[in-house]
Amino acid sequence: MTSPSTPFASLPAVWRDWIMENLERACNPLDMANSMAASGQHSMAVARAAIDEALALRAAPGQAPAASVFVAPQQMPYIDLERNLIAVQDRAVEVLFVLKQPQIILLGNVLSDEECDAIVAHCGTRYTRSTVTGETDGASMVHEGRTSEMAFIQRGEAEVAERIEQRLAELAHWPAECGEPFQLQKYGVTQEYRPHYDWLDPDSSGHRSHLARGGQRLATFILYLSDVEQGGGTVFPGLGLEVYPKKGSALWFLNTDVNHQPDKQTLHGGAPVVSGTKIIANKWLRQGRYG
């Protein structure tokens, strides 16, 4: 018998039923906790504890309670900021700028000119019109707010990409297999990506299928593969911050807090290019193995 003081028993009946029904449907517990927290009625800690308790209640008689299904809050990718230079592989990456909340870090010397050129050359003419993820069905769709062109480099496809992926994994202290493939974006004059979030919305039916493939996007790397004559900055409108592209540098930011809750301070966009061509590569780090 569950004590009335336990997290699950203290929930309203409608929430207890909701948890049990979604567990029966084999929904992802982390997605469920995110939805509960997003409702504004429960803290993330209460949501996780209640779901863990519900899982224990569903266990077979005599079976030992399972360990928590949730990633510990301290398990987050991070950049080591103890020094101004970070030694990774054969490079000394420069820490150029740090904003603490939300965490945004500008890194220099992440890629060599030759590596930038090799990635760009590898994609050649493979670019197609960029898309966004539909909130209702999860399908890729063209959107007027994103006018760039995109191309992907899958894991194992190119040696230079593999080398850079391992470097980023070392920088972020996060397994390479927990990252999405490189997504290149090419912006010509006037092309832009209006302000948006990189995190996936657990309350959006279209995003849930993407969350099931590796969990939330905890962090973002934006690799600048070209210099831009004018415009094309990465803007954070709510923070009054704009970062201009510099070939070989990278912008890093966390998309969530330590409880893996989406951070609405991370609203950002790609400002229109005024002169020249901007080419970047996005690398999104997930909670778990991406696939």
Side-chain angles (χ1 to χ4, degrees):
M1 186 80 177
T2 304
S3 167
S5 62
T6 63
F8 180 76
S10 65
L11 294 177
V14 65
W15 278 106
R16 295 198 301 271
D17 292 344
W18 181 87
I19 289 175
M20 286 303 195
E21 289 170 4
N22 280 281
L23 290 176
E24 187 67 30
R25 293 168 51 215
C27 292
N28 184 294
L30 184 58
D31 292 349
M32 293 168 56
N34 283 335
S35 292
M36 291 179 68
S39 74
Q41 299 179 47
H42 315 283
S43 69
M44 176 57 80
V46 167
R48 291 184 177 200
I51 292 170
D52 272 337
E53 186 181 345
L55 285 165
L57 291 171
R58 295 177 73 246
Q63 181 178 331
S68 173
V69 296
F70 298 106
V71 178
Q74 67 270 23
Q75 290 186 312
M76 286 284 288
Y78 69 94
I79 304 293
D80 187 352
L81 298 175
E82 288 189 1
R83 295 177 175 81
N84 296 347
L85 293 177
I86 306 172
V88 289
Q89 294 183 358
D90 59 343
R91 307 188 70 73
V93 172
E94 304 162 341
V95 179
L96 301 176
F97 169 89
V98 176
L99 181 66
K100 293 185 178 180
Q101 185 59 43
Q103 187 183 83
I104 302 172
I105 303 172
L106 180 62
L107 301 167
N109 197 41
V110 178
L111 286 74
S112 68
D113 281 358
E114 292 75 19
E115 288 172 329
C116 292
D117 295 342
I119 293 178
V120 172
H122 178 80
C123 288
T125 58
R126 292 161 51 176
Y127 291 92
T128 58
R129 172 68 189 269
S130 295
T131 59
V132 301
T133 300
E135 292 190 3
T136 55
D137 59 6
S140 295
M141 54 184 288
V142 170
H143 190 279
E144 63 178 6
R146 193 181 200 187
T147 54
S148 57
E149 296 178 292
M150 69 181 183
F152 292 91
I153 302 179
Q154 301 297 331
R155 184 168 292 120
E157 181 183 322
E159 186 277 331
V160 63
E162 291 293 295
R163 183 169 69 248
I164 294 168
E165 184 168 59
Q166 291 303 319
R167 185 180 304 153
L168 298 182
E170 186 178 349
L171 265 175
H173 302 87
W174 206 250
E177 59 267 24
C178 294
E180 295 184 38
F182 283 113
Q183 184 195 83
L184 271 69
Q185 293 287 332
K186 181 165 67 173
Y187 296 81
V189 173
T190 74
Q191 291 183 324
E192 64 178 332
Y193 192 1
R194 294 174 191 166
H196 60 282
Y197 298 109
D198 280 358
W199 45 262
L200 299 165
D201 186 353
D203 292 322
S204 164
S205 58
H207 285 191
R208 289 188 189 122
S209 61
H210 294 273
L211 282 163
R213 297 185 63 190
Q216 188 58 268
R217 286 174 170 171
L218 301 181
T220 294
F221 274 113
I222 298 176
L223 309 180
Y224 297 107
L225 304 180
S226 69
D227 291 315
V228 181
E229 294 174 15
Q230 188 178 1
T234 303
V235 297
F236 292 80
L239 303 173
L241 175 64
E242 183 164 5
V243 178
Y244 290 100
K246 179 174 173 55
K247 187 176 181 180
S249 64
L251 188 65
W252 152 280
F253 54 93
L254 295 177
N255 294 306
T256 74
D257 62 21
V258 295
N259 289 316
H260 300 172
Q261 279 293 287
D263 187 345
K264 292 187 177 181
Q265 296 180 96
T266 60
L267 183 72
H268 66 285
V273 171
V274 178
S275 178
T277 300
K278 169 186 169 183
I279 304 178
I280 62 173
N282 294 317
K283 168 66 71 172
W284 291 297
L285 307 188
R286 295 292 195 100
Q287 287 170 306
R289 180 185 292 271
Y290 180 79

